[in-house]
């Protein structure tokens, strides 16, 4: 979907990169999402105190709640994966919500972005599996008895590859679908009133899709950590 005007593309025009920025808006807005997260992370870390204020209380409750949620699924072994899955959740959420801001493009509405995040999540689950079990991690792919290896190995390899496709296309499809619907309503119904209900729904969808990505990544890590049967 081509946007009529993107503010970052105009900014890149000042340094002679307008054509590149127009062709790769998902990259420029991905950078913006990263800057936003880094800034608020720095701001939150800077203002930490022994007597927390309102903002610190909110973030502590949110982060500790998500961490306990991850631990309830993965066990204590999954605690070290929490920084990664939390970062993925926050990045996907910020990227999704960018689609609600005029002149912004959600980087998660591009399949290249969602594929990259999906690869990170799935590959990390295998890294954790190898760290947890060593060479025995291969048993997750071989089935319960040696005689079943020729059947189970290709099925498991296909299944783990499908995880990447599932994460990629679920997020991409929902975010691109929202962008298309808002664009059509803007064309048919006017600049302000028509897209408002869809934008309200888009806020909800953005949060749900970020949490679903977070949840599935956590479940893949939990599956890699548990003993094979």
């Amino acid at each position: 979907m081509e946007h009529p005007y993107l503010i970052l593309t105009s900014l890149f025009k000042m340094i002679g990169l307008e054509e590149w920025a127009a062709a790769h808006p998902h990259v420029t807005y991905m950078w913006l999402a990263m800057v936003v997260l880094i800034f608020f992370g720095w701001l939150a870390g800077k203002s930490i105190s022994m007597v927390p204020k309102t903002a610190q209380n909110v973030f502590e409750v949110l982060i500790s709640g998500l961490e306990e949620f991850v631990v309830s699924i993965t066990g204590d072994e999954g605690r070290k994966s929490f920084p990664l899955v939390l970062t993925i959740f926050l990045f996907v959420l910020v990227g999704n919500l960018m689609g609600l801001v005029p002149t912004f493009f959600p980087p998660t509405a591009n399949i290249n972005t969602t594929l990259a995040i999906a690869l990170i999540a799935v590959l990390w689950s295998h890294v954790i599996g190898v760290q947890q079990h060593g060479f025995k991690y291969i048993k997750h792919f071989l089935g319960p008895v040696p005689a079943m290896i020729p059947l189970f190995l290709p099925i498991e390899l296909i299944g783990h590859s499908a995880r990447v496709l599932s994460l990629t296309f679920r997020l991409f499809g929902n975010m691109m679908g929202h962008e298309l619907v808002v664009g059509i309503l803007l064309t048919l119904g006017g600049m302000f009133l028509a897209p408002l209900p869809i934008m309200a729904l888009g806020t909800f969808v953005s949060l749900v899709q970020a949490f679903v990505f977070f949840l599935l990544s956590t479940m893949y890590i939990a599956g890699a950590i548990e003993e094979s049967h």
Side-chain angles (χ1 to χ4, degrees), residues 208-224:
V208 168
Q209 289 304 313
F211 184 76
V212 167
F213 207 107
F214 169 83
L215 175 61
L216 290 176
S217 301
T218 302
M219 292 178 66
Y220 296 155
I221 291 170

Side-chain angles (χ1 to χ4, degrees), residues 49 72 80 93-94 116 125 127 139 189 201:
S49 62
S72 70
K80 60 182 170 183
L93 180 60
V94 172
S125 71
V127 170
K139 291 183 178 180
L201 181 62

Side-chain angles (χ1 to χ4, degrees), residues 93-115:
L93 180 60
V94 172
N96 292 349
L97 292 174
M98 280 186 174
L100 304 176
V101 182
T103 74
F104 276 36
F105 177 83
T108 49
N110 185 284
I111 197 169
N112 295 294
T113 305
T114 57
L115 175 60

Side-chain angles (χ1 to χ4, degrees), residues 111 114-119 122 157-173 213 216 220:
I111 197 169
T114 57
L115 175 60
I117 307 171
L119 283 171
V122 174
L157 291 176
I158 293 171
H160 283 263
S161 300
R163 292 179 177 182
V164 177
L165 295 177
S166 173
L167 290 173
T168 299
F169 284 102
R170 179 186 292 106
L171 181 57
F172 164 71
F213 207 107
L216 290 176
Y220 296 155

Side-chain angles (χ1 to χ4, degrees), residues 2 25 38 52 54 59 66 80 161 168 181 184 189 194 200 204 207 218:
E2 185 174 348
I38 291 171
T54 304
F59 280 108
L66 288 174
K80 60 182 170 183
S161 300
T168 299
V181 170
I184 292 170
F204 176 73
L207 179 59
T218 302

Side-chain angles (χ1 to χ4, degrees), residues 13-220:
K13 183 180 180 180
M14 300 177 184
I15 56 176
L17 294 175
E18 180 185 17
E19 193 171 317
W20 178 87
H24 304 90
H26 63 288
V27 176
T28 58
Y29 282 91
M30 178 185 67
W31 291 344
L32 179 60
M34 292 165 57
V35 169
V36 169
L37 290 174
I38 291 171
F39 172 75
F40 280 104
W42 170 79
L43 196 63
K46 181 183 177 183
S47 59
I48 290 177
S49 62
M50 292 299 295
V51 181
K53 298 180 181 178
T54 304
Q56 184 178 336
N57 272 323
V58 170
F59 280 108
E60 285 182 354
V61 170
L62 175 64
I63 293 174
S64 63
L66 288 174
E67 183 177 15
E68 291 306 314
F69 177 79
V70 169
V71 171
S72 70
I73 296 175
T74 64
D76 284 333
E77 296 85 358
R79 197 180 294 274
K80 60 182 170 183
S81 297
F82 176 69
L84 176 66
V85 291
L86 177 64
T87 301
I88 289 175
F89 171 75
L90 293 175
F91 175 80
V92 172
L93 180 60
V94 172
N96 292 349
L97 292 174
M98 280 186 174
L100 304 176
V101 182
T103 74
F104 276 36
F105 177 83
T108 49
N110 185 284
I111 197 169
N112 295 294
T113 305
T114 57
L115 175 60
I117 307 171
L119 283 171
I120 291 171
V122 174
L123 289 177
W124 177 253
S125 71
H126 296 306
V127 170
I128 287 296
V130 172
Q131 288 181 351
Q132 185 73 17
H133 304 290
F135 184 74
K136 293 181 180 179
Y137 179 63
I138 197 173
K139 291 183 178 180
H140 284 74
F141 301 85
L142 302 182
V145 293
M148 301 291 287
I149 290 176
L151 176 63
F152 270 86
L153 181 58
I155 291 176
E156 287 293 329
L157 291 176
I158 293 171
H160 283 263
S161 300
R163 292 179 177 182
V164 177
L165 295 177
S166 173
L167 290 173
T168 299
F169 284 102
R170 179 186 292 106
L171 181 57
F172 164 71
N174 278 278
M175 300 314 356
M176 177 54 72
H178 175 260
E179 286 292 290
L180 290 172
V181 170
V182 171
I184 292 170
L185 289 177
L186 281 171
T187 303
L188 297 178
M191 183 64 70
F192 298 105
L193 296 179
L196 287 180
I198 301 300
M199 292 180 71
L201 181 62
T203 304
F204 176 73
V205 170
S206 297
L207 179 59
V208 168
Q209 289 304 313
F211 184 76
V212 167
F213 207 107
F214 169 83
L215 175 61
L216 290 176
S217 301
T218 302
M219 292 178 66
Y220 296 155

